[in-house]
């Protein structure tokens, strides 16, 4: 391959998989041709490492990288997959309840597959393998092998042979004698895939299990979260259950029934600096006045943990855990940079602090969360080698293929789609053939030379940025107005300063102090001359791009690096350096956030790469101006710009819609990307998204609703009622549930539909034997018995005798209801009456009747009441705020500015009719149930579900109408509608949010007529 040839080619659509399911396809690059092929199945877990090559092989980046498997991860993937399919065999009931809750497809916020798999893996290790529980299937990782891994040994020394990495193990063994190892598990998750949510899920799993099993130390009730810096520490406060913006509520991590158990646990979030040892002496004026000696582990733990201190082991989570490692000795011949020395010191303080806590009270287990859990240069280990305790892996490539992150986009130089070699390996182009006068002492290029040779790349990328910026500036009111951000990643401070000055037009000029008047030197002692404070001066920046020029009070281009953060100064003369550094940190940490200090930033110039904690999602362009010696470094830099802005899946494909980031100068070789032809206008996918939100000036249109999780059925005298004629019908369908089938003997394999093949004879099978042995009355009795059991299941806990008495009174009432329902509401379609005894029909009837039967308040029973979410009992249209790529329609009679339309038919038609009715005075306001979190609980075939009606309409008479627009009939519709009527009955009995009603509309053109009828005659039948 020619040295200028790029070793990769673009793919038309890098997104292959749903983010909510296990990946079933992946792109595979041919390492000799660079041609990608679409492969079936999931990509095995692996990592790339740099090998020592000489000669011509050094010319190709791919030739310098080799792949090695992560065998422990691949074994656990298979085991966790089978464990999931078994219904999480041998897990606690609390764990199963949480996992079912997380896997629900009807969740308002669906969790990504990678998030759930990471948590399942940790739970499988702790609840199954660590407890020695066997499965009914043969696992890839046996209990005996897990024990060896937990002791730091390799259970398969002949098979698990690595090239540069340590062998797999699940113990971090201290170098000092007498210290116990720490059980460590690392979850490798790409930037933007939701690591904080995973930490919340793990805390919920531990705390909820401990709450339901108070004496079980397997589940810690205390969690210590350690992170690298103050910005992340502030952001991770959402892991505290009592935080006002906690993730447990925001992402619906914990079912309401388990929320009290979560609140019993304690979470402490801190940064690694907090683990530093205290000085052994106390000095005053440079004089030692007290020698305290070293802290004991218990004193250290008590001092650091505070309220978290206990004698019982706790759970530790290291966010950005690749900083927490035990530095290995390095040869005296190796010269470490200041940055590498600082990294080793940080790692030492971090891990030594955990060792002391482990010695004092114990660490049950430690989970490292990181996109790159690899050893870095200067660690003493081979650069890029993975932590040996990685147990789950969802890499950046996996995230791109699942649409979880933005897609890298490179400039194509011609119709082949290959990226331009110059812009691909930009630093190589900059540093190649430098003349003597173009280099600094030490061989690095001068900043002005770097700018001259990279200027065309900067201008090209800035032109693409401006196209995106102009689209945003022209956005309609209500569309996303967040400015796109371009990142320039530089090799050193001098280059960063030069590019910052050339882009922003801003520079610091030393101010001249006025000469002091001569004074009597004998009478007045000489004072130290005050140092001039540099002043900012603003001029013209990057030619043709005034949008990036800084102005006084309007600085849109920002320069950040470690030295600048430490020495930053504000224009406020009263501000201290600390104040200025904090001001800069606040700007950096809030880039792209509306109404925050960093909301107006358009360009960021940094040294090396941005620190952890940067989670801006509006990065659209990246320019790399430094050496990239490994794929790991490419991934770390590119990953900073891949966080998505919107997570709304396409309603047709179920995949997340593509978002892009344009990248120059980062020569990644194994990441799927899309080509972008030079010139032309902005691609259609770059157009601004619509921002759907409640408008404060339409407060009068606000609609509030109860968040109902279930119902309170308190039967004092055991009298019930049911209007059978309003219960949804059940229709027996011979086509979906055939009563007879022809079968034939089969030998070997056949391709195609079974009915297409001839040969052998037919034999008729039917259910005559079933009909002969089952009487219709037996079916009625069984249905009635199950309904009664459901009605009394939660009543009179611990009092079985009272419960039996209740059932004996209820049974004859329910049996009469069942008999009347089967006689009047079941459509048999000529089938045998015993067909209703098939489980598909009995479960449906049971669910419908449970939803329809209510306490008979005419005979003294307490009416059916809703059970509200105790933490958020009332929802409101005021909470709606999201971005969408769907087409939208502007509203006038709604609290929300837009209605996002999945289709061009019923939604738009219904909205048009509602707006028309509002103008005619028939309704007051309405709201589309999109991100409103309004749902109705129901059961379908015995499984709990939630139903989301389409609209809530507020009539002029103040009645709230729950409105469903339907275009086609589906199997679960009847169960939903019956549940909606039950919801209306309970909420009306409750009465605190006015009167409610329910309406199903099959034809939006007749919506006005149906609403008028509902006003005259409430609670109409939907048919």
């Amino acid at each position: 391959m020619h040295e200028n040839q790029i070793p990769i080619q673009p793919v038309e659509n890098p997104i292959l998989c749903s983010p909510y399911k296990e990946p079933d396809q992946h792109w595979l690059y041919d390492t000799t041709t660079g041609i990608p092929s679409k492969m079936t199945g999931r990509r095995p877990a692996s990592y790339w490492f740099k090998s020592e090559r000489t000669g011509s092989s050094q010319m190709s980046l791919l030739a310098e990288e080799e792949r090695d498997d992560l065998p422990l991860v691949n074994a656990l993937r298979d085991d966790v997959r089978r464990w999931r399919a078994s219904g999480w065999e041998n897990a606690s009931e609390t764990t199963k309840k949480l996992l079912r809750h997380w896997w629900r497809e009807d969740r308002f916020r669906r969790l990504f597959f990678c998030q759930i798999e990471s948590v399942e893996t940790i739970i499988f290790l702790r609840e199954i393998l660590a407890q020695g529980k066997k499965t009914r299937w043969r696992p890839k990782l046996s209990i005996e092998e897990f024990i060896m891994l937990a002791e730091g040994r390799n259970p398969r020394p002949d098979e698990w042979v690595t090239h540069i990495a340590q062998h797999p193990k699940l113990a971090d063994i201290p170098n000092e004698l007498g210290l116990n190892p720490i059980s460590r598990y690392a979850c490798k998750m790409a930037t933007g895939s939701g690591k904080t949510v995973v930490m919340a899920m793990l805390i919920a799993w531990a705390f909820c299990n401990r709450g339901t099993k108070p004496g079980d130390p397997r589940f810690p009730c205390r969690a210590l979260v350690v992170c690298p810096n103050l910005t992340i520490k502030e952001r991770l406060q959402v892991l505290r259950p009592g935080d006002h913006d906690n993730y447990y509520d925001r992402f619906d991590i914990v079912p309401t029934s388990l929320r009290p158990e979560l609140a019993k646990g304690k979470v402490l979030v801190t940064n690694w600096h907090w683990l530093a040892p205290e000085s052994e002496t106390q000095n005053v004026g440079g004089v030692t006045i007290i020698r305290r000696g070293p802290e004991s582990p218990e004193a250290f733990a008590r001092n650091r943990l505070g309220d978290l201190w206990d004698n019982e082991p706790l759970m530790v989570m290291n966010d950005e855990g690749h900083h927490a490692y035990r530095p290995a000795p390095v040869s005296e011949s190796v010269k470490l940079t200041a940055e590498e020395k600082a990294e080793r010191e940080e790692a030492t303080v971090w891990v030594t602090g955990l060792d002391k806590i482990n010695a004092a009270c114990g660490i049950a287990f430690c989970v490292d969360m990181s996109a790159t859990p690899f050893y870095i240069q200067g660690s003493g280990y081979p650069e890029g080698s993975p932590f040996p305790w990685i147990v789950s892996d969802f890499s950046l490539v996996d995230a791109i293929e699942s649409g979880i992150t933005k897609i890298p986009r490179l400039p194509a130089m011609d119709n082949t789609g290959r990226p331009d070699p110059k812009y691909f390996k930009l630093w190589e182009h900059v540093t190649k053939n430098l003349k003597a006068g173009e280099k600094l002492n030490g061989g690095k290029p001068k900043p002005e030379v770097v700018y001259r040779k990279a200027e065309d790349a900067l201008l090209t990328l800035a032109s693409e940025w401006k196209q995106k910026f102009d689209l945003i500036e022209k956005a309609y009111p209500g569309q996303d107005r967040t400015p796109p951000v371009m990142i320039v990643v530089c090799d050193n401070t001098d280059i960063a300063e030069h590019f910052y000055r050339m882009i922003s037009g801003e520079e610091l000029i030393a101010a001249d102090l006025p000469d002091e008047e001569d004074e009597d030197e004998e009478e007045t002692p000489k004072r130290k001359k005050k140092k001039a404070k540099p002043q900012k001066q603003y001029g013209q920046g990057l030619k043709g791009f005034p949008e990036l020029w800084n102005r006084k009070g309007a600085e849109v281009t920002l320069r950040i690096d470690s030295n600048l953060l430490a020495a930053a100064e504000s224009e406020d003369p009263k501000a201290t350096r600390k104040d200025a550094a904090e001001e800069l940190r606040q700007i950096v940490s809030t880039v792209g956030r509306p109404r925050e200090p960093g909301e107006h930033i358009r360009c960021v110039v940094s040294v090396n790469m941005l620190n952890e904690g940067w989670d801006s999602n509006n990065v659209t362009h990246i320019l790399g101006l430094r050496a990239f010696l490994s794929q790991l470094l490419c991934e770390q830099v590119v990953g900073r710009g891949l966080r998505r802005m919107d997570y709304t899946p396409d309603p047709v494909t179920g995949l997340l819609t593509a978002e892009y980031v344009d990248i120059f100068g980062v020569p990644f070789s194994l990441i799927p990307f899309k080509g972008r032809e030079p010139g032309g206008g902005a691609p259609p996918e770059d157009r601004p998204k619509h921002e759907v939100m409640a408008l404060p000036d339409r407060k009068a249109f606000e609609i509030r609703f109860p968040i109902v999780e279930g119902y309170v059925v308190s039967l004092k005298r055991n009298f019930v009622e049911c209007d059978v004629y309003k219960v949804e019908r059940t229709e027996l369908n011979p086509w979906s549930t055939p009563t007879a089938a022809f079968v034939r003997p089969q030998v070997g394999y056949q391709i195609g539909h079974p009915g297409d093949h001839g040969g052998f004879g037919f034999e008729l099978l039917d259910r005559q034997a079933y009909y002969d042995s089952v009487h219709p009355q037996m079916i009625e009795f069984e249905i009635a018995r199950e309904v009664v059991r459901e009605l009394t299941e939660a009543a009179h806990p611990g009092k079985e005798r009272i419960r039996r008495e209740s059932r004996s009174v209820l049974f004859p009432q329910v049996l009469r209801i069942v008999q009347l329902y089967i006689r009047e509401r079941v459509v048999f379609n000529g089938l045998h009456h015993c067909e209703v005894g098939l489980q598909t029909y009995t479960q449906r009837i049971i669910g419908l009747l449970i939803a329809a039967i209510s306490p008979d308040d005419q005979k003294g029973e307490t009416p059916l009441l809703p059970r509200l979410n105790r933490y958020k009992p009332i929802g409101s249209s005021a909470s709606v705020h999201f971005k969408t790529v769907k087409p939208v329609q502007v509203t006038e009679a709604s609290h929300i500015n837009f209605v996002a339309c999945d289709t061009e038919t019923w939604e738009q038609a219904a909205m048009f009719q509602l707006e028309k009715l509002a103008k005619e005075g028939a309704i007051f306001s309405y709201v589309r149930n999109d991100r409103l979190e309004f749902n109705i609980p129901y059961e379908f075939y015995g499984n709990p579900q939630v139903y989301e009606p389409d609209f809530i309409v507020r009539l002029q008479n103040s009645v709230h109408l729950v409105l469903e627009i339907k275009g086609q009939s589906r199997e679960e519709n009847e169960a939903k509608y019956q549940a909606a009527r039950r919801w209306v009955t309970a909420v009306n009995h409750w009465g605190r949010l006015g009167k409610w009603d329910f309406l199903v509309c099959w034809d939006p053109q007749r919506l006005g007529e149906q609403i008028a009828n509902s006003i005259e005659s409430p609670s109409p039948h939907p048919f």
Side-chain angles (χ1 to χ4, degrees):
M1 185 178 292
H2 191 271
E3 64 177 285
N4 284 332
Q5 187 73 30
I6 301 306
I8 52 172
Q9 292 187 24
V11 294
E12 181 57 33
N13 184 11
I15 300 178
L16 297 175
C17 309
S18 166
Y20 310 114
K21 298 177 182 178
E22 184 169 14
D24 56 4
Q25 299 180 79
H26 67 276
W27 291 108
L28 179 66
Y29 281 96
D30 188 313
T31 56
T32 58
T33 66
I35 298 175
S37 301
K38 188 186 298 184
M39 308 296 291
T40 58
R42 186 175 183 181
R43 173 185 291 101
S46 60
Y47 68 98
W48 292 85
F49 63 93
K50 187 177 179 182
S51 59
E52 296 294 332
R53 299 292 180 91
T54 58
S56 61
S57 64
Q58 290 182 323
M59 304 306 295
S60 169
L61 181 63
L62 266 179
E64 297 174 358
E65 302 276 335
E66 293 187 18
R67 190 183 71 85
D68 202 2
D69 284 336
L70 294 172
L72 177 58
V73 174
N74 289 318
L76 284 170
R77 275 184 183 175
D78 289 340
D79 287 350
V80 170
R81 185 185 301 113
R82 297 185 69 180
W83 184 57
R84 183 187 310 125
S86 74
W88 306 287
E89 180 183 1
N90 289 331
S92 73
E93 287 305 314
T94 300
T95 295
K96 291 179 180 178
K97 187 171 185 177
L98 286 169
L99 288 167
R100 285 193 293 266
H101 181 67
W102 295 335
W103 272 107
R104 280 174 54 172
E105 295 184 5
D106 58 357
R107 292 170 54 88
F108 170 65
R109 292 179 182 268
R110 286 194 69 180
L111 298 172
F112 294 145
F113 168 81
C114 61
Q115 294 173 321
I116 304 178
E117 183 188 49
S118 296
V119 176
E120 284 178 323
T121 303
I122 301 298
I123 295 174
F124 180 74
L125 289 167
R126 299 303 303 173
E127 277 200 52
I128 306 303
L129 294 182
Q131 301 305 315
K133 295 180 180 178
K134 294 186 176 180
T135 57
R136 282 178 283 185
W137 36 270
R138 185 176 180 181
K140 292 288 184 70
L141 184 69
S142 68
I143 294 173
E144 292 74 22
E145 289 175 325
F146 171 81
I147 293 172
M148 294 181 69
L149 288 167
E151 294 172 349
R153 295 183 290 154
N154 186 354
R156 305 181 193 176
D158 296 331
E159 180 182 346
W160 290 357
V161 179
T162 61
H163 288 86
I164 66 167
Q166 303 174 59
H167 67 75
K169 58 183 177 182
L170 299 177
D172 185 9
I173 302 174
N175 300 320
E176 297 82 0
L177 296 176
L179 293 178
N180 294 325
I182 300 174
S183 295
R184 288 184 74 172
Y185 314 117
C187 295
K188 181 173 180 281
M189 296 183 66
T191 300
S193 59
K195 295 188 289 292
T196 306
V197 172
V198 170
M199 289 192 280
M201 295 164 73
L202 286 170
I203 290 172
W205 161 73
F207 287 8
C208 291
N209 270 287
R210 184 58 177 269
T212 55
K213 293 171 279 294
D216 194 338
R218 292 179 303 163
F219 304 104
C221 59
R222 298 169 300 136
L224 171 64
V225 182
V226 188
C227 61
N229 56 47
L230 180 59
T231 297
I232 299 180
K233 176 184 174 181
E234 291 175 349
R235 199 163 292 148
L236 291 183
Q237 296 303 314
V238 296
L239 295 176
R240 296 169 55 244
D243 187 82
H244 72 280
D245 195 29
N246 72 82
Y247 268 25
Y248 310 100
D249 294 337
R250 183 175 171 187
F251 288 91
D252 188 21
I253 300 297
V254 180
T256 303
S257 60
L258 291 176
R259 195 60 169 78
E261 313 307 330
L262 174 72
K264 296 175 183 176
K266 294 180 180 179
V267 178
L268 174 63
V269 181
T270 189
N271 49 11
W272 68 270
H273 310 77
W274 170 86
L275 295 172
E278 287 189 350
S279 173
E280 296 183 20
T281 62
Q282 183 176 342
N283 299 331
V284 175
V287 179
T288 301
I289 60 171
I290 298 177
R291 294 187 180 277
R292 292 177 292 202
E295 286 181 290
S296 68
E298 182 172 333
F300 177 90
R302 284 181 179 274
N303 178 273
R304 303 308 188 279
L305 295 177
D307 291 341
L308 217 64
W309 164 259
D310 202 322
N311 290 319
E312 186 180 287
L314 47 71
M315 171 172 65
V316 173
M317 283 186 284
N318 295 323
D319 190 33
E320 306 296 351
H322 54 275
H323 291 285
Y325 63 89
R326 300 181 189 279
V330 294
S331 170
E332 293 183 0
S333 61
V334 176
K335 299 298 182 183
L336 297 177
T337 66
E339 183 181 353
E340 290 167 352
K341 290 178 181 177
E343 282 281 358
R344 287 175 66 91
E345 180 184 359
E346 174 184 344
T348 301
V349 170
W350 194 323
V351 175
T352 301
L354 295 183
D355 281 338
K356 292 178 181 179
I357 292 173
N358 191 34
C361 62
I363 294 176
F365 59 92
C366 176
V367 179
D368 298 330
M369 305 299 304
S370 174
T372 55
F374 301 104
Y375 292 104
I376 59 177
Q377 186 173 351
S379 64
Y381 302 93
E383 181 186 2
S385 61
F387 282 7
W389 42 80
I390 298 177
V391 295
S392 72
D393 176 19
F394 201 81
S395 67
L396 176 59
V397 182
D398 297 324
I400 292 173
E401 291 169 346
S402 295
I404 293 174
T405 62
K406 291 176 182 171
I407 299 169
R409 190 164 56 189
L410 303 185
M413 63 181 297
D414 51 36
N415 59 6
T416 65
R418 287 186 179 275
D420 188 321
K422 175 183 173 182
Y423 293 164
F424 186 72
K425 294 185 177 180
L426 185 58
W427 188 250
E428 183 180 301
H429 164 76
V430 167
T431 57
K432 193 174 183 180
N433 301 323
L434 289 175
K435 299 184 174 108
E438 296 178 327
K439 293 185 287 187
L440 298 169
N441 293 336
K444 288 193 173 184
K446 292 181 177 179
E448 59 271 23
V449 173
V450 175
Y451 186 83
R452 187 186 74 237
K453 300 185 78 170
E455 185 179 19
D456 60 338
L458 173 62
L459 291 173
T460 303
L461 195 67
S463 297
E464 295 180 359
W465 172 88
K466 190 175 186 306
Q467 289 179 350
K468 177 80 173 178
F469 179 80
D470 288 344
L471 284 175
I472 296 296
E473 287 293 289
K474 296 173 183 175
Y476 298 110
Q479 287 187 311
D480 180 28
R481 304 298 294 270
T482 306
V485 168
M486 177 171 64
I487 298 177
V488 182
V489 182
C490 300
D491 180 70
N492 57 58
T493 303
D494 293 333
I495 294 175
E497 183 178 351
H498 187 80
F499 270 77
Y500 176 73
R501 185 171 65 250
M502 299 302 292
I503 294 171
S504 70
E506 176 192 316
E507 58 182 326
L508 288 176
I509 304 295
D512 293 330
L513 287 176
D515 293 334
E516 296 181 5
E517 296 181 2
D518 292 335
E519 297 180 1
D520 188 343
E521 294 183 3
E522 294 182 0
E523 295 181 6
T524 307
K526 270 191 173 181
R527 289 179 297 177
K528 189 175 181 181
K529 192 172 182 180
K530 189 176 181 181
K531 187 177 179 181
K533 183 177 181 180
Q535 301 293 318
K536 289 182 179 180
Q537 179 174 300
Y538 302 97
Q540 292 189 0
L542 191 63
K543 293 178 181 178
F545 299 93
E547 299 86 356
L548 298 175
W549 299 356
N550 283 350
R551 294 286 180 265
K552 187 177 179 64
E555 297 182 355
V556 294
T557 294
L558 179 71
R559 176 187 159 217
I560 53 175
D561 63 64
S562 56
N563 293 331
L564 187 64
L565 272 173
E569 292 192 84
S570 170
E571 288 189 279
D572 180 357
K574 297 180 181 179
T576 64
R577 287 171 177 254
K578 183 178 179 181
D579 293 333
E582 175 61 19
E583 178 185 335
L584 182 59
R585 188 185 69 82
Q586 288 291 341
I587 294 174
V588 172
S589 64
T590 58
V591 169
R593 296 185 187 178
R595 296 173 295 280
E596 296 279 0
E599 70 170 325
H600 299 301
I601 297 300
R602 300 171 184 173
C603 179
V604 175
V605 181
S606 71
V607 175
N608 291 332
M609 63 179 180
L610 297 169
N611 290 331
E612 288 90 354
W614 169 278
D615 68 346
S616 174
N617 60 7
N618 61 326
V619 175
T620 56
H621 298 78
I622 298 176
L623 178 63
L625 290 168
R626 59 156 296 163
F628 292 90
L629 302 178
S630 68
Q631 287 302 299
L632 172 61
L633 186 55
C634 292
E635 179 174 332
Q636 288 176 324
V637 172
V638 171
R640 291 287 175 262
L642 294 185
R643 198 176 296 270
R644 290 182 61 97
M645 294 189 71
D646 179 60
Y647 292 89
T648 305
D650 184 285
V652 177
T653 65
L655 304 180
L656 292 176
T657 55
E659 294 185 14
Y660 295 93
V661 57
D662 291 289
I663 301 173
F664 286 18
V666 184
F668 52 78
S669 299
L670 301 156
I671 299 176
F673 72 97
K674 187 171 183 175
R676 175 172 179 172
E677 294 182 8
E685 58 266 17
D686 284 355
R687 291 177 184 139
K689 294 178 171 60
H690 300 286
E691 190 167 14
V692 181
M693 58 184 176
L695 300 178
D697 57 349
R698 295 190 192 173
K699 176 71 174 176
F701 289 159
E702 180 184 12
I703 290 180
R704 301 171 72 236
F705 54 90
I707 298 180
V708 178
E709 294 194 327
Y711 302 94
V712 178
V713 180
S714 179
L715 297 173
K716 304 298 183 183
R717 305 177 63 186
N718 299 308
F719 289 118
V720 294
E721 63 176 350
C722 178
D723 189 344
V724 171
Y725 294 97
K726 288 187 178 180
V727 182
E728 300 292 334
R729 291 187 178 92
T730 294
E731 184 172 356
L732 275 55
N733 189 345
W735 301 107
S736 62
T737 311
T739 60
F742 287 98
V743 299
R744 66 165 65 87
Q746 182 171 316
V747 178
Y749 296 98
Q750 295 176 342
I751 300 175
H753 193 278
D756 295 339
H757 300 277
F760 297 100
F762 287 91
E763 181 180 351
L764 178 65
L765 297 181
D766 58 24
R767 289 194 275 272
Q768 189 58 49
Y770 164 70
Y771 300 154
D772 293 341
S773 61
V774 175
H775 193 277
Q777 191 177 32
M778 182 189 302
I779 297 171
E780 295 168 354
F781 269 66
E782 286 300 313
I783 292 175
R785 183 179 64 81
E786 187 61 23
V787 171
V788 170
R789 187 189 69 79
E790 289 284 346
L791 290 175
T792 59
E793 186 68 24
H796 311 296
K799 299 178 181 179
E800 186 58 33
R801 182 183 62 80
I802 299 177
R803 192 153 36 195
R804 283 199 302 270
E805 292 175 356
S806 298
R807 288 170 178 167
S808 65
V809 176
L810 283 171
F811 184 81
Q813 301 174 70
V814 173
L815 179 60
R816 286 193 294 273
I817 293 171
V818 170
Q819 291 170 335
L820 180 60
Y821 179 84
I822 291 177
R823 185 170 67 248
E824 300 293 337
R825 303 299 288 168
V826 174
V827 181
F828 286 93
N829 285 322
L831 299 181
H832 196 286
H833 278 219
C834 288
E835 284 289 315
V836 81
L838 297 181
Q839 193 174 50
T840 186
Y841 298 126
T842 58
Q843 285 188 343
R844 170 189 165 81
I845 293 171
I846 291 167
L848 289 174
L849 291 181
I850 290 172
I853 293 173
S854 61
D856 190 345
D857 53 344
Q858 298 295 320
K859 296 183 179 180
E861 294 288 3
T862 302
L864 181 72
L865 294 173
R867 188 180 75 247
L868 305 184
N869 184 307
R870 62 185 293 186
Y871 299 98
K872 187 181 178 182
I874 306 297
S876 168
S877 54
S879 65
V880 175
H881 193 170
F882 65 94
K883 296 174 183 177
T884 181
V885 296
K886 297 178 185 177
V888 298
Q889 294 293 323
V890 179
T891 67
E892 292 184 11
S894 177
H895 194 190
I896 312 303
N897 59 342
F898 292 136
V899 167
C901 303
D902 287 316
T903 67
E904 297 180 356
T905 54
W906 69 265
E907 286 171 316
Q908 293 187 22
M911 177 199 158
F912 175 80
Q913 291 295 325
L914 289 171
E915 289 286 347
K916 180 172 176 287
L917 291 169
K919 290 179 180 178
E920 295 173 352
I923 72 170
F924 180 73
S925 66
Y926 69 95
V927 63
R928 170 85 164 96
N929 190 17
D930 190 357
R931 317 293 176 91
L932 187 63
E933 299 188 57
F934 170 56
N935 52 55
I936 294 173
Y938 75 102
E939 286 197 359
F940 188 61
Y941 290 132
N943 297 316
Q945 309 282 342
V946 291
Y947 158 48
E948 297 182 358
D950 295 312
F951 293 91
I952 301 178
V953 181
R954 185 173 159 195
L955 305 179
Q956 288 290 358
N957 60 6
S958 297
V959 172
H960 288 80
L961 188 66
V962 178
L963 177 61
E964 175 74 6
I965 309 293
K966 266 292 166 244
Q968 57 182 343
S969 179
R970 291 182 177 170
E971 184 182 13
E972 65 272 22
N973 283 354
E974 289 80 4
K976 290 180 178 180
Y977 303 159
Q978 194 63 52
R981 292 193 184 86
R982 189 185 197 196
W983 187 95
V984 166
T985 299
V987 170
N988 283 339
H989 282 153
W990 178 60
R992 297 186 186 177
L993 287 179
K995 185 173 174 57
W996 292 71
D997 210 340
F998 174 65
L999 175 66
V1000 178
C1001 176
W1002 291 90
D1003 181 3
Q1005 303 303 324
R1006 298 184 56 200
L1007 182 57
E1009 176 188 337
Q1010 287 189 262
I1011 288 180
N1013 291 337
S1014 73
I1015 296 174
E1016 296 173 7
S1017 178
S1019 300
H1021 195 283
F1023 305 103

